[in-house]
């Protein structure tokens, strides 16, 4: 993958916005204006990739939702970017009848069926607008790219393909088929955009296998159809310099249930867990006064602030995956360097003031004007830097408040110890009965992780003790029912997942003293350092990529869509280790796994790993799904 | 990779047409098309397009003559493509007038768009269209100012070369004329003085050149500052309005408080009077009864 998935998708979007012609390089080209109409799916796809300013630069004057009230704007071409669903098609036909725009460029996010195309054709005929429909395209962009190497399938209706939807007890076959079709359609679009046909490996006997079978069938059909194949032609010529095919690993959420519930310690995962992070956008409430003012005046209103965490934000890119204390230190460093630069500029002002009184200072003038010019030209950069520092200070402070109030560091340390099966210094009961350590949800999560990672189930009396303690703390016990079922099921199937040797080493007092000068007062918050460890998903990937033999992964099925006959054997034909891999989790993923994979890829030089999931859920949402499942 | 299914769409249109014909539903396509032709000719969009074509014409013109304009061979070459300074001045003037008219046209369009009563979406669209045109115009103006900056620099360099060269011949010529009348010492003195004058002139010229360069930079900075100040002006205006409103509110509040205090005092006086009257009446009744 010479270009990352995100770049490929951005390039495809820009082409579409340029009326499906390759964008010109000429800087001073004539502006051509257009209107962009999208539905909610299109909005989710475009918003992490292109900002409003970039849209404006491409000539988009208005961007509107498909199902909003739109006024006729004659003489303007309109670019549509929608999913080919019934309501959308109806609305497009309505637009054609109302003659809202001058010409229509219809782009469908995934392939449109022949019958729906005929619906549009008949509406266009009825409205006499056939000549106005200038171009119709299938874009095959039905996935959301959040990072260079991370994508998810959908955000709008993610309850439809969530873990709960797939693992419900009362699910019908037809519903399951529909869910699988949605997932396979998006994965197919992903591979079309990537321009590569992968080799698929998946475990047996669960949703992942169903997805793999369908995907293999779809890819095979498309490759056989030589006329309309999407994988030939300029697709392959455009920057495809790798001769190896990527490895596509499909795993089901059931292989590792503890990670979504885990309390985390890296910056991006913490924001996703503690604050509201969706599609790279953080929404926070600010400005709430802690104590009400004594004179009984109205309390300060909470302001909701939205922050975008983009690829252009260098601090974010560098520290997405760093442990939180490191982030706090780095923000402090950035703030100091910014203040130093600001002081330089202010110092210049005083120099200019002095020199103004001195008449014969022509020789000094040259130096000063040069300095002034450089200062003025660097001002926009400084302002941008200040904005980013403010952003990260606010976000990090909010996260830190949550950590302190819920004692998340204690939970993190304890869970790491549970997952690595090292000795525990505090008993679980103590933490659960501790009234000011975390919300009931946190305690439930901790207990679920304990239950999942225990070698043998705790005895009945212990369980009752824990249950009463949890009920006292106010937790809801329904997730526990489901986890019991799950554990029983997986015990039959395979050995329980091993979380590898992880270790959490609290940094000594010395370093705490050193950090005490920082603005972020991390007293009482342990400065924990993560040691390198591998989550189950990473280990599975490692085994498959390096062709290692391991009882866990040997039984995985092997699909190669390019082979003439579909073979049922699970013996891989390719004996070389893979250089590129795509990991996809069916049933929900999270940033912790993503960060782990990123670390793994950094550790192994020269391998590229892309992480995908059907939907991104943080621990709270996942616990809610588990409780829904447990209530049935 | 996107797939162009326009042909498929057109095929579907044909299928639907034949299907409709078979069922018997006909459409009067020709009549409607004639009606469609008579769209309003004058409107926002054609005018905007006109402005763009004008700016493009200017851009093409500038790019076409750029090579000649910037040609360096003023002293050496004698090609037909060489431009005289007069032609260059003419181009400068024309370009400036053109740019001014274009920006006037944009402003006019903006005023018109604001005055016209249209929906919010159309207003936003027109505003954005005008912004795009302005950015385009600014890009073309940048082209022009780059060219002009190169030309000015060349002229300044040329003048420097030309001014240094005639100095020496003039001196020699003057010396030769007066040689008969002056003695050798005076010649030497004059020579020295000439040398001194020449070096003084040179240093002055150097300084002037430096100052010119700095002045150009300062003018650029000045432009940036003016832009920022204009931006801040609107904000300061709004703050001023708010402050004026706030002072008025505070004044009214003070008045109200004063009134309330007065009322309070007056009320207290009445209560006192009432109580005193009541006690007097009690005493009177008591005296009356006994």
């Amino acid at each position: 993958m010479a270009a990352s998935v995100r770049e490929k998708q951005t390039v495809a979007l820009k082409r579409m916005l340029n009326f499906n012609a390759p964008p010109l390089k000429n800087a001073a080209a004539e502006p051509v204006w257009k209107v962009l109409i999208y539905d909610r799916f299109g909005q989710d796809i475009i918003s992490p990739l292109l900002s409003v300013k970039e849209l404006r630069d491409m000539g988009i004057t208005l961007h509107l939702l498909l199902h909003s009230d739109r006024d006729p704007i004659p003489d303007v071409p309109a670019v549509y970017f929608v999913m080919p669903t019934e309501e959308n098609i109806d609305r497009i036909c309505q637009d054609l009848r109302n003659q809202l725009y001058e010409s229509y460029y219809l782009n469908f996010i995934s392939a449109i069926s022949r019958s729906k195309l005929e619906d549009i054709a008949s509406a266009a005929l009825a409205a006499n607008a056939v000549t106005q429909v200038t171009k119709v395209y299938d874009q095959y962009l039905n996935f959301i790219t959040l990072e260079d190497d991370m994508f998810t399938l959908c955000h709008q209706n993610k309850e439809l393909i969530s873990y709960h939807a797939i693992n419900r007890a009362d699910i019908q076959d037809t519903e399951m088929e529909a869910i699988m079709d949605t997932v396979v359609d998006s994965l197919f679009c992903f591979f079309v955009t990537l321009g590569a046909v992968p080799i698929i490996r998946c475990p047996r006997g669960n949703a992942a296998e169903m997805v793999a079978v369908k995907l293999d069938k779809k890819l095979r059909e498309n490759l056989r159809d030589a006329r309309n194949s999407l994988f030939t032609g300029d697709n392959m010529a455009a920057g495809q310099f790798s001769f190896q095919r990527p490895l596509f690993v499909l795993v089901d959420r059931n292989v590792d249930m503890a990670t979504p519930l885990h309390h985390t310690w890296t910056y991006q995962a913490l924001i996703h867990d503690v604050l509201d992070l969706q599609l790279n956008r953080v929404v926070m409430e600010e400005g709430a006064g802690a104590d009400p003012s004594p004179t009984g005046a109205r309390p300060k209103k909470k302001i909701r602030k939205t922050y975008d965490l983009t690829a252009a934000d260098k601090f974010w890119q560098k520290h997405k995956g760093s442990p939180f204390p490191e982030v706090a230190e780095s923000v402090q460093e950035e703030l100091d360097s910014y203040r130093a630069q600001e002081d330089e500029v202010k110092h210049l002002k005083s120099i200019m003031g002095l020199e103004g009184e001195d008449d014969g200072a022509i020789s000094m003038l040259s130096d000063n004007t040069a300095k002034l010019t450089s200062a003025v030209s660097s001002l926009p950069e400084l302002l941008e830097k200040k904005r980013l520092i403010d952003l990260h200070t606010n976000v990090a402070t909010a996260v830190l408040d949550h950590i302190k109030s819920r004692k998340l560091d204690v939970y993190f340390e304890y869970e790491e110890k549970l997952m690595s099966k090292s000795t525990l210094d505090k008993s679980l009961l103590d933490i659960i009965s501790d009234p000011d350590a975390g919300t009931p949800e946190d305690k439930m999560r901790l207990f679920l992780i304990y239950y999942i990672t225990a070698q043998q189930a705790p005895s009945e009396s212990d369980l009752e003790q824990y249950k009463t303690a949890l009920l006292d703390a106010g937790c809801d016990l329904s997730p526990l029912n489901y986890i019991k079922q799950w554990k029983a099921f997986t015990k039959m199937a395979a050995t329980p997942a091993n979380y590898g040797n992880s270790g959490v080493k609290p940094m000594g007092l010395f370093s705490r003293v050193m950090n005490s000068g920082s603005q972020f007062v991390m007293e009482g918050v342990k400065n924990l350092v993560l040691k390198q460890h591998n989550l189950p998903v990473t280990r599975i990937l490692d085994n498959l990529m390096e062709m290692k033999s391991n009882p866990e992964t040997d039984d995985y099925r092997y699909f190669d869509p390019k082979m003439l006959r579909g073979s049922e054997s699970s013996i891989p034909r390719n004996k070389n280790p893979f250089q590129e891999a795509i990991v996809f989790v069916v049933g929900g993923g999270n940033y912790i796994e993503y960060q782990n994979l990123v670390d793994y890829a950094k550790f192994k030089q020269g391998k590229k790993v892309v992480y995908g999931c059907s939907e991104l859920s943080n621990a709270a949402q996942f616990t809610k799904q588990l409780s829904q499942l447990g209530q049935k | 990779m996107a797939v162009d299914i326009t042909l498929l769409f057109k095929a579907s249109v044909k299928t639907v047409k034949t299907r409709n014909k078979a069922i018997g539903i006909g459409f009067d396509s020709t009549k409607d098309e004639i009606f469609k032709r008579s769209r309003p000719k004058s409107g926002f969009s054609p005018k905007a397009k006109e402005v763009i074509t004008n700016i493009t014409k200017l851009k093409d013109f500038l790019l076409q003559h750029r090579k000649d304009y910037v040609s360096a061979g003023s002293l050496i070459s004698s090609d037909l493509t060489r431009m005289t300074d007069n032609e260059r001045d003419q181009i400068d003037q024309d370009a400036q007038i053109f740019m001014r008219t274009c920006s006037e046209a944009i402003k006019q369009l903006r005023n018109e768009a604001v005055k016209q009563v249209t929906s919010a979406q159309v207003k936003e669209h027109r505003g954005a269209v005008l912004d795009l045109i302005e950015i385009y115009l600014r890009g073309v103006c940048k082209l022009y100012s780059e060219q002009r900056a190169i030309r000015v620099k060349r002229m300044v360099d040329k003048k420097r070369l030309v001014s240094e060269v005639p100095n020496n011949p003039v001196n020699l010529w003057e010396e030769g004329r007066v040689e008969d009348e002056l003695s050798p010492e005076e010649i030497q003195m004059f020579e020295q003085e000439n040398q001194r004058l020449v070096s003084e002139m040179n240093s002055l010229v150097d300084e002037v050149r430096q100052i010119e360069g700095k002045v150009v930079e300062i003018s650029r900075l000045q432009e940036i500052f003016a832009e920022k100040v204009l931006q801040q002006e609107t904000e300061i205006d709004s703050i001023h309005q708010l402050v004026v409103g706030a002072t008025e509110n505070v004044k009214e509040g003070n008045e109200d408080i004063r009134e309330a205090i007065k009322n309070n005092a007056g009320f207290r006086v009445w209560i006192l009077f009432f109580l005193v009257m009541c006690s007097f009446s009690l005493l009177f009744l008591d005296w009356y009864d006994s």
Side-chain angles (χ1 to χ4, degrees):
Chain A
M1 294 169 253
S4 71
V5 176
R6 170 154 61 179
E7 281 163 27
K8 289 212 169 114
Q9 207 179 17
T10 319
V11 162
L13 278 176
K14 286 200 174 153
R15 255 179 82 122
M16 171 190 82
L17 293 175
N18 202 23
F19 299 135
N20 301 105
L24 305 163
K25 298 287 184 182
N26 191 359
E30 267 189 26
V32 183
W33 48 80
K34 44 193 103 94
V35 173
L36 174 65
I37 319 272
Y38 47 74
D39 63 348
R40 293 211 182 270
F41 288 96
Q43 191 179 26
D44 287 340
I45 295 176
I46 297 182
S47 64
L49 294 175
L50 297 172
S51 64
V52 176
K53 183 173 171 305
E54 286 175 13
L55 287 178
R56 282 280 149 94
D57 287 340
M58 302 215 58
I60 309 261
T61 56
L62 278 182
H63 42 94
L64 305 163
L65 266 181
L66 180 66
H67 289 285
S68 60
D69 289 324
R70 280 173 286 120
D71 305 311
I73 309 180
D75 314 325
V76 169
V79 177
Y80 282 73
F81 185 57
V82 296
M83 284 288 275
T85 62
E86 281 297 327
E87 310 101 48
N88 291 356
I89 304 281
D90 286 337
R91 188 61 200 259
I92 295 180
C93 298
Q94 200 185 353
D95 287 346
L96 284 171
R97 276 194 288 272
N98 296 346
Q99 308 249 345
L100 289 180
Y101 309 110
E102 181 206 357
S103 56
Y104 299 82
Y105 293 81
L106 303 174
N107 296 282
F108 294 106
I109 301 178
S110 63
I112 184 173
S113 66
R114 192 61 198 261
S115 60
K116 297 210 179 91
L117 202 58
E118 285 185 6
D119 286 340
I120 304 184
S122 55
L125 262 181
N128 242 319
V130 180
T131 45
Q132 286 180 338
V133 177
T134 324
K135 285 204 183 161
V136 183
Y137 265 76
D138 279 338
Q139 287 291 337
Y140 290 104
L141 287 175
N142 191 9
F143 59 96
I144 304 173
T145 314
L146 293 172
E147 309 276 344
D148 269 348
D149 44 4
M150 174 169 177
F151 70 97
T152 169
L153 287 193
C154 79
H155 179 74
Q156 271 308 313
N157 295 337
K158 58 183 179 175
E159 313 82 50
L160 292 176
I161 58 171
S162 66
Y163 183 74
H164 166 72
I166 299 179
N167 292 56
R168 278 187 296 160
D170 57 347
I171 188 170
Q172 316 259 350
D173 274 339
T174 44
E175 290 173 7
M176 195 64 172
E177 288 292 315
I179 296 179
M180 291 297 131
D181 281 336
T182 336
V183 173
V184 166
D185 182 47
S186 302
L187 283 175
F188 180 69
C189 294
F190 175 74
F191 284 114
V192 170
T193 313
L194 202 57
V197 181
I199 295 181
I200 309 176
R201 307 284 320 255
C202 70
R204 290 180 192 269
N206 50 26
E209 193 183 3
M210 290 175 68
V211 172
V213 165
K214 278 191 183 241
L215 183 63
D216 176 59
K217 196 163 124 211
K218 193 155 183 175
L219 284 170
R220 200 173 293 245
E221 276 169 17
N222 195 274
L223 282 172
R224 297 289 158 264
D225 189 3
R227 244 185 334 142
N228 293 341
S229 170
L230 298 158
F231 290 98
T232 55
D234 44 26
N235 217 346
M236 298 300 255
Q240 266 293 90
F241 293 120
S242 62
F243 296 102
Q244 267 211 348
R245 290 162 59 189
L247 169 69
F248 184 53
V249 178
L250 267 168
V251 282
D252 193 277
R253 180 77 263 158
N254 286 321
V255 76
D256 172 16
M257 292 287 277
T259 312
L261 301 166
H262 187 33
H263 285 92
T264 165
W265 200 242
T266 55
Y267 193 32
Q268 188 175 34
L270 263 176
I271 296 181
H272 184 71
D273 192 10
V274 157
L275 301 172
D276 180 13
L277 175 70
Q278 291 183 19
L279 295 178
N280 290 348
R281 177 170 284 197
V282 183
V283 179
M284 293 182 357
E285 287 186 353
E286 270 189 25
D291 336 292
S293 67
T295 56
R298 236 185 312 159
K300 257 196 288 181
K301 281 194 264 236
K302 290 194 184 194
I303 319 166
R304 291 193 67 123
K305 290 208 135 178
T306 328
Y307 297 117
D308 277 326
L309 299 164
T310 58
D313 184 348
K314 289 209 182 51
F315 182 84
W316 173 246
Q317 292 302 319
K318 211 163 77 146
H319 289 103
K320 270 193 296 207
S322 340
F324 192 65
E326 230 182 85
V327 169
E329 280 175 39
S330 314
V331 171
Q332 195 59 26
E333 276 173 28
E334 292 276 315
L335 196 61
D336 290 335
S337 75
Y338 166 76
R339 290 230 178 95
Q341 280 176 316
E342 210 184 23
D343 285 338
E344 262 179 47
V345 176
K346 287 206 183 118
H347 190 52
L348 201 58
K349 191 171 71 163
S350 59
I351 290 184
M352 295 307 289
L354 283 175
E355 290 300 334
E357 299 162 3
D358 197 357
D359 282 321
I362 299 181
S363 52
M364 301 289 258
L365 194 62
S366 57
D367 214 17
N368 277 346
T369 37
K371 266 200 261 181
L372 195 59
T373 323
S374 61
V376 167
S377 51
S378 70
L379 271 179
E381 284 170 30
L382 271 184
L383 285 173
E384 179 65 19
K385 205 166 159 182
K386 169 132 213 313
R387 187 185 71 88
L388 290 176
I389 293 180
D390 277 341
L391 193 163
H392 284 288
T393 315
N394 290 338
V395 170
T397 321
V399 172
L400 186 64
D401 287 336
H402 275 270
I403 294 182
K404 276 203 230 173
S405 66
R406 285 157 66 177
K407 292 215 190 140
L408 291 177
D409 50 334
V410 171
Y411 279 97
F412 173 68
E413 199 182 348
Y414 202 80
E415 280 167 14
E416 285 281 316
K417 290 210 182 105
L418 275 177
M419 280 161 70
S420 67
K421 301 191 190 10
S422 47
T423 53
L424 312 165
D425 49 358
K426 243 200 274 190
S427 106
L428 188 59
L429 210 52
D430 284 339
I431 299 192
I432 295 184
S433 359
D434 188 355
D436 49 38
T439 64
E441 210 176 71
D442 290 327
K443 298 188 180 149
M444 197 61 208
R445 278 159 68 177
L446 180 62
F447 182 66
L448 284 172
I449 294 182
Y450 166 71
Y451 196 84
I452 293 172
T453 55
Q455 287 285 22
Q456 61 267 75
S459 62
E460 274 305 312
S461 56
D462 275 348
L463 202 57
E464 282 311 310
Q465 231 183 356
Y466 287 131
K467 272 196 189 164
T468 36
L470 284 170
L471 282 171
D472 285 337
C475 308
D476 173 22
L477 285 180
S478 29
L480 190 54
N481 302 337
Y482 179 73
I483 294 289
K484 272 197 213 162
Q485 274 178 311
W486 171 81
K487 188 125 187 171
F489 185 72
T490 48
K491 215 173 253 204
M492 292 191 308
T495 57
N498 183 10
Y499 287 86
N501 302 333
S502 82
V504 175
K505 205 176 30 116
M507 278 169 73
L509 264 177
F510 177 58
S511 43
R512 188 136 33 118
V513 166
M514 266 179 28
N515 292 334
S516 61
S518 103
Q519 185 190 10
F520 291 93
V521 178
M522 305 267 296
E523 292 168 5
V525 175
K526 299 192 198 174
N527 209 341
L528 301 167
V529 170
L530 292 173
K531 280 209 283 211
Q532 167 66 248
H533 68 302
N534 282 338
L535 293 174
V537 174
T538 320
R539 267 180 318 103
I540 294 175
L541 176 70
D542 186 40
N543 291 337
L544 289 173
M545 261 179 103
E546 304 290 338
M547 317 302 277
K548 286 187 209 164
S549 150
N550 185 305
E552 210 178 347
T553 55
D554 275 346
D555 200 28
Y556 273 36
R557 290 190 64 181
Y558 178 88
F559 293 99
D560 186 347
K562 273 198 172 159
M563 289 202 306
L564 286 172
R565 268 178 314 119
S567 72
E568 285 299 311
S569 74
S570 57
I571 305 169
R573 300 279 293 268
N574 192 352
K575 293 293 178 193
N576 307 326
F578 288 93
Q579 299 297 335
E580 298 160 7
I582 304 160
V583 181
F584 190 79
V585 181
V586 178
N590 50 56
Y591 280 102
I592 309 175
E593 284 178 350
Y594 167 63
Q595 197 51 48
N596 206 259
L597 283 170
V598 165
D599 292 338
Y600 170 77
K602 248 190 281 190
F603 177 63
K604 297 246 170 189
Q605 305 276 347
K607 307 253 186 195
K608 293 190 79 154
V609 180
V610 174
Y611 177 69
C613 49
S614 54
E615 45 121 11
L616 258 187
S617 50
N618 63 12
Q621 292 159 350
F622 195 68
T623 324
K624 217 178 349 171
Q625 288 179 21
L626 288 181
S627 65
Q628 277 176 329
L629 284 168
Q631 274 163 10
K632 295 271 166 59
Chain B
M1 221 49 211
V3 174
D4 189 353
I5 49 177
T6 319
L7 295 172
L8 209 58
F9 177 71
K10 296 231 164 42
S12 331
V13 169
K14 278 209 192 89
T15 354
V16 174
K17 237 192 232 172
T18 42
R19 206 192 306 155
N20 285 344
K21 266 207 198 108
I23 307 177
I25 309 170
F27 288 111
D28 298 325
S29 50
T30 48
K31 226 196 318 173
D32 289 329
E33 276 189 29
I34 297 175
F35 278 144
K36 231 196 293 179
R37 288 277 160 70
S38 64
R39 277 237 178 105
K41 279 298 173 184
S42 75
F44 176 79
S45 195
K47 283 195 208 142
K49 286 217 174 75
E50 224 184 282
V51 175
I52 289 196
T53 36
N54 286 343
I55 302 180
T56 317
K57 267 193 253 167
L58 170 67
K59 184 176 82 150
D60 292 335
F61 176 72
L62 281 176
L63 284 175
Q64 210 184 13
H65 292 107
R66 184 170 235 205
K67 201 157 162 291
D68 306 334
Y69 190 91
V70 175
S71 68
S74 54
L75 296 173
I76 309 167
S77 73
S78 57
D79 287 335
L80 287 167
T81 56
R82 187 161 58 103
M83 267 191 179
T84 61
D85 276 340
N86 280 340
E87 285 179 12
R88 289 206 177 93
D89 283 335
Q90 187 68 25
I91 291 183
D92 280 347
Q93 243 180 346
D94 286 341
Q96 276 179 4
I97 295 175
F98 210 83
M99 281 192 269
R100 221 168 288 150
T101 26
C102 286
S103 61
E104 291 274 333
I106 295 179
K107 258 186 229 141
Q108 224 182 3
L109 275 175
R110 219 183 265 277
N111 291 338
E112 259 184 48
V114 164
K115 268 192 297 187
Q116 260 189 355
V117 176
T118 43
S119 68
Q121 285 180 3
V122 178
K123 272 209 180 86
E124 203 188 317
H125 163 73
R126 290 190 178 165
V129 165
L130 287 168
D131 285 338
L132 283 172
I133 302 182
E134 249 189 84
I135 294 177
Y136 183 47
L137 179 63
R138 233 179 271 159
V140 172
C141 291
K142 215 160 74 104
L143 275 179
Y144 163 72
S145 57
E146 274 172 13
Q147 270 180 230
R148 192 172 157 73
I150 297 180
R151 179 193 169 196
V152 164
K153 194 161 164 303
R154 280 254 165 68
M155 280 190 350
V156 165
D157 287 344
K158 244 195 297 180
K159 284 213 173 75
R160 176 172 57 98
L161 280 173
V162 165
S163 63
E164 274 183 15
V165 164
N167 262 342
N168 299 330
V170 167
N171 281 342
L172 291 172
W173 176 70
E174 280 224 41
E175 266 186 344
R177 194 172 47 108
V178 181
E179 221 173 21
D180 320 324
E181 306 166 7
L182 302 168
S183 58
E185 296 110 11
E186 286 186 330
I187 292 172
Q188 228 183 2
M189 235 175 43
F190 275 131
E191 258 187 58
Q192 275 177 6
E193 216 178 304
N194 278 339
Q195 292 291 345
R196 197 178 47 83
L197 278 173
V198 161
S199 54
E200 235 185 81
M201 288 299 150
N202 275 339
S203 64
L204 272 180
V205 161
D206 277 336
E207 282 177 14
V208 167
R209 232 181 338 115
Q210 267 185 17
I211 292 178
E212 246 186 290
K214 296 316 150 196
V215 165
V216 163
E217 271 188 49
I218 289 178
S219 74
R220 228 171 12 101
L221 291 175
Q222 159 80 355
E223 208 188 299
I224 299 179
F225 287 148
E227 212 185 292
K228 297 287 175 222
V229 164
L230 280 174
Q231 276 175 8
Q232 291 173 7
E233 184 192 352
T234 42
E235 288 175 22
I236 292 178
D237 271 339
S238 68
I239 294 179
H240 174 71
Q241 296 287 345
L242 284 174
V243 164
V244 164
T247 35
E248 282 189 23
N249 287 346
V250 167
K251 260 190 235 154
E252 278 176 29
N254 280 342
E255 292 293 329
D256 286 339
I257 292 178
R258 236 171 265 139
E259 286 276 332
I261 294 177
K262 251 196 316 186
N263 285 347
N264 215 6
F267 186 62
R268 265 192 257 128
V269 166
W270 278 110
I271 292 282
L272 211 57
F273 177 68
F274 176 69
L275 286 173
V276 166
M277 292 290 29
C278 278
S279 49
F280 273 135
S281 63
L282 265 175
L283 287 171
F284 174 70
L285 286 169
D286 187 51
W287 172 81
Y288 192 68
D289 255 347
S290 63

